[in-house]
């Protein structure tokens, strides 16, 4: 093809037909420009296809992440409610005038744990990068995902505070109970075990106060804030599902 156009150009120049050569030259330039435009269009089309595939993959990954979040949040709410009931049980069985609780109540009161919600996406311990959010087309979805970590901050603060008070509960517990005598593996090493003072533990003002503080923290902050996070998480899942329908 190139040899063909070169032959025509040489023929026109030989015949000294400048006007025809000028028209030919302009036509050749137009053809080159058209070729470049076509190449650019093809390249843009390929980029759009690649971007679409990347967006689809990203949406699928986000769907998995936020659905996992939902399960983790549900587990956290259930765990917080269990701990809340334990604090109520402790409050009922502590004070200046107490009697020995049932063994089942004591067993639950001895369980001093806290809930930790490590979300797949958005939490302080997640390793998810937010850079690829720019791939998404839906502005509303991008806004909700970008703001998701910020709604966790208040909850995490109260979660950490609940952990702090629980650790103090445990420290107080260790003042009244013989920890070594509760570990069978230490039996052969134990010189003599201290006597556990259950009633004194139940009468301790700090014991009841710690349970009360945890009750307030879980009931008024951790559970409401975690429920709000779950609502936001579900909004994101619904938006992702709506976007994924474009690829069906």
């Amino acid at each position: 093809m190139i040899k063909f156009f070169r032959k025509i150009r040489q023929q026109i120049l030989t015949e000294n037909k400048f006007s025809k050569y000028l028209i030919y030259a302009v036509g050749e330039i137009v053809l080159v420009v058209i070729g470049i435009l076509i190449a650019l269009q093809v390249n843009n089309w390929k980029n759009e296809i690649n971007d679409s595939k990347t967006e689809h993959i990203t949406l699928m990954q986000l769907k998995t992440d936020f659905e996992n979040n939902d399960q983790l949040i549900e587990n956290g709410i259930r765990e917080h409610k269990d701990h809340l009931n334990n604090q109520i049980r402790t409050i009922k069985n502590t004070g200046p005038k107490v009697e020995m609780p049932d063994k089942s109540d004591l067993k639950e009161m001895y369980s001093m744990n806290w809930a930790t919600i490590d979300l797949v996406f958005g939490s302080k311990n997640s390793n998810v990068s937010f850079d690829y959010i720019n791939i998404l087309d839906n502005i509303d979805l991008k806004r909700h995902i970008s703001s998701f970590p910020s709604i966790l901050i208040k909850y995490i603060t109260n979660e950490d505070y609940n952990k702090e008070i629980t650790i103090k509960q445990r420290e107080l517990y260790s003042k009244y109970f013989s920890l070594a005598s509760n570990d069978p593996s230490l039996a052969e090493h134990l010189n003599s075990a201290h006597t556990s003072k259950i009633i004194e533990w139940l009468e301790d003002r700090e014991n009841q106060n710690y349970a009360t503080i945890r009750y307030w923290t879980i009931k008024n902050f951790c559970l409401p804030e975690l429920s709000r996070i779950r609502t936001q998480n579900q909004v994101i899942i619904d938006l992702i599902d709506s976007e994924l329908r474009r690829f069906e």
Side-chain angles (χ1 to χ4, degrees), residues 26-27 38 63 80 121 123 171 173 180 186 190 232 242 247:
V26 172
I38 292 173
K63 179 179 172 63
H80 274 307
F121 193 105
S123 75
E171 292 173 349
Y173 171 89
L186 292 175
L190 189 60
Q232 178 75 354
S242 177
F247 297 92

Side-chain angles (χ1 to χ4, degrees), residues 71-118:
Q71 185 60 53
L72 292 171
I73 293 168
E74 181 180 345
N75 294 340
I77 290 175
R78 182 168 56 250
E79 194 172 354
H80 274 307
K81 287 180 177 179
D82 289 342
H83 297 163
L84 186 66
N85 289 332
N86 279 347
Q87 305 320 303
I88 293 173
R89 184 177 288 106
T90 299
I91 292 169
K92 286 181 177 180
N93 288 285
T94 55
K97 299 177 182 180
V98 295
E99 297 179 358
M100 184 66 71
D102 294 336
K103 288 184 178 180
S104 59
D105 282 339
L106 276 176
K107 183 179 179 181
E108 295 299 327
M109 291 165 63
Y110 293 159
S111 177
M112 300 174 197
N113 298 307
W114 59 85
T116 300
I117 314 301
D118 289 329

